[in-house]
């Protein structure tokens, strides 16, 4: 196996193409090692052949583990340092074609570095006829046992094994010695230095001429880092799934809250007492394309008890349930104060104070309009918000904004109020800044695009048709923030 494939690398996500290339190399190497393993079963009685086959089995296991990890990386499961370390177990080439008897270097040109494959793999043989036991140097390292203490017999080994894992070891050894079954299983040990390691054990019985078990040999592999990496992958996957579930749940709650608060209407906003001709109103919410989360934008239109109409749009910072719940609170307060007859400028001051004292501090922009259908005047105030666009006879212009800072930005802020006369057939476009935001503070490209829709808005059959024209112009863009737009047309008298 080429050592460069498993050389140390920084613990950072590889490029997708690099992962695919590594997967292809791993598959090719596995096929080559598998071919060597098949050739190694020619003489079952030759200890060197059995050891060579054991090394090939180990290499196949390692390559399968690496292939699985690479597949997880390609699937998008976050990699961790421990996963990279576990893949790094296969970092020293093993020349299986020149393998020698257990306990030797097996063709490695230089001593393995700490944490390499060979320092994590050891061998043992227990002779049942002579009670002789032989351990490789690497096995002493795995168990943290001094060479002078000698190898452990099969009866002694359970003393280092976790109590709950002792039945596993006992069952494997019994099945091998009595029934001649191969060994393949894992158990945990506690070394003399207190460190806990996970050991994978594979082996087979050696039968005498009468078919009885004469000895047992095994290859023991320290898989502690590999199992730790697998746990990390599982935990990362579980964490990712939990995060996705939380995100979906939060989005669903935010959507339900928004739908419960924002008015579902499309069409006429009629006034009390069969007064002047109604306003034709329609609105639309456009979610942010970058996050997919619901934000704190709102729109509303409400016929007030004194015969006036409330028209408002606004935007709170943030996304998700926190933003939508704050929006619901603010919009509820706004409606209540408008019904109580509070004028737009004073209303903005109260909203600013409310947002300052909220348990979820945020900033917000807002615009509040009060339309008098008898006098046909629009009184409005704004808090750091884009001004309404007024379209008359196919030509649009931006209304001049009165003074007003963002809601929640400063204590005791004062807000100005402007008044504009509207004529039958006039059309207002109210929107949040997410619709027209440009690349800089002075970029008015979005506003100019809206004003350019004047001829099309003049031909609109109703307010909903006007909203449709705006959405067709802006709706497919990859906005970083959500937005809403409201179109209001002053109906002509019958």
């Amino acid at each position: 196996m080429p050592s460069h494939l498993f050389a140390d690398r920084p613990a950072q996500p590889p490029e997708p193409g690099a992962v695919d290339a590594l997967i292809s190399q791993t598959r090719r190497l596995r096929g080559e090692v598998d071919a060597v393993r098949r050739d190694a079963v020619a003489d079952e009685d030759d200890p060197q052949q059995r050891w060579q086959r054991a090394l090939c089995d180990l290499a196949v296991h390692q390559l399968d583990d690496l292939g699985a990890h690479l597949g997880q990386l390609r699937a998008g499961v976050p990699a961790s340092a421990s996963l990279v370390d576990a893949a790094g177990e296969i970092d020293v080439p093993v020349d299986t074609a020149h393998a020698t008897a257990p306990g030797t270097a097996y063709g490695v040109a230089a001593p393995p570095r700490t944490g390499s494959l060979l320092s994590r793999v050891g061998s043992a043989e227990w002779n049942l006829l002579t009670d002789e036991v032989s351990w490789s140097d690497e096995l002493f390292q795995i168990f943290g046992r001094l060479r002078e203490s000698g190898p452990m017999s099969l009866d002694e080994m359970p003393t280092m094994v976790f109590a709950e894992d002792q039945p596993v070891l006992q069952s494997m050894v019994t099945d091998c010695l009595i029934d001649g079954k191969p060994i393949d299983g894992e158990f945990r040990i506690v070394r003399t230095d207190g460190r806990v390691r996970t050991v994978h054990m594979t082996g087979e019985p050696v039968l005498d001429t009468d078919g009885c078990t004469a000895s047992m040999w095994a290859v023991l592999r320290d898989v502690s880092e590999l199992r730790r990496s697998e746990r990390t992958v599982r935990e990362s996957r579980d964490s990712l799934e939990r995060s996705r579930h939380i995100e979906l749940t939060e989005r669903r709650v935010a959507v339900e809250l928004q739908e419960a608060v924002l008015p579902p209407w499309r069409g006429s906003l009629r006034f009390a007492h069969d007064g002047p001709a109604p306003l034709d109103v329609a609105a639309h919410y456009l979610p942010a394309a970058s996050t997919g989360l619901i934000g704190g934008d709102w729109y509303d239109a409400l016929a007030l008890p004194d015969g006036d109409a409330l028209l408002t749009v606004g935007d709170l910072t943030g996304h998700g349930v926190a933003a939508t719940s704050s929006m619901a609170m603010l919009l509820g307060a706004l409606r209540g104060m408008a019904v109580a007859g509070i004028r737009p400028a004073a209303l903005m001051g109260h909203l600013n104070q409310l947002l300052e004292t909220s348990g979820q501090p945020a900033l917000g922009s807002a615009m509040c309009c009060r339309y008098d259908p008898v006098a046909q005047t629009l009184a409005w105030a704004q808090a750091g918000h884009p001004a309404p666009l007024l379209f008359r006879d196919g030509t649009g212009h931006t209304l001049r904004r009165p003074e007003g800072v963002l809601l929640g930005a400063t204590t005791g802020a004062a807000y100005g109020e402007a008044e504009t006369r509207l004529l039958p057939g006039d059309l207002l476009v109210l929107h949040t800044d997410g619709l027209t935001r440009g690349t800089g503070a002075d970029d008015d490209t979005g506003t100019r695009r809206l004003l350019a829709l004047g001829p099309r808005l003049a031909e609109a059959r109703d307010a909903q048709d006007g909203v449709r024209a705006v959405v067709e112009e802006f709706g497919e863009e990859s906005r970083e923030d959500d937005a809403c737009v409201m179109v209001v047309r002053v109906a002509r008298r019958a």
Side-chain angles (χ1 to χ4, degrees), residues 388-402:
L389 304 184
L390 174 61
F391 292 85
R392 181 174 293 167
D393 299 327
T395 301
H397 69 276
T398 303
L399 298 184
R400 186 174 180 179
R401 293 197 314 172

Side-chain angles (χ1 to χ4, degrees), residues 251 284-295 297 315 319 431-438 446 449-450 470-485:
R251 176 176 173 79
H284 187 77
Y285 174 83
L286 298 93
S290 57
T291 64
L293 293 176
I294 300 299
D297 286 43
D315 175 19
H319 293 88
H431 65 90
T432 56
D433 63 353
L435 184 72
T436 58
R437 182 179 297 145
R449 287 170 60 192
L450 262 180
V470 175
V471 172
E472 288 177 358
E473 175 69 22
F474 293 91
E476 299 300 324
E477 297 180 0
S478 298
R479 286 173 306 281
E480 295 182 0
D481 194 9
D482 50 347
C484 64
V485 58

Side-chain angles (χ1 to χ4, degrees), residues 44 53 126 128 154 168-185 201-207 211-219:
E44 288 286 346
R53 185 183 61 182
W126 292 272
L128 304 183
L154 291 175
V168 176
L169 176 62
Q170 182 179 358
S171 176
M172 289 192 300
V173 172
T174 301
D175 289 345
C176 180
L177 298 181
I178 296 178
D179 299 327
K181 294 181 179 179
I183 293 175
D184 190 353
M201 184 176 181
T202 57
E204 289 187 3
V206 178
L207 306 180
C212 298
T213 302
S215 65
M216 186 184 78
W217 62 265
V219 173

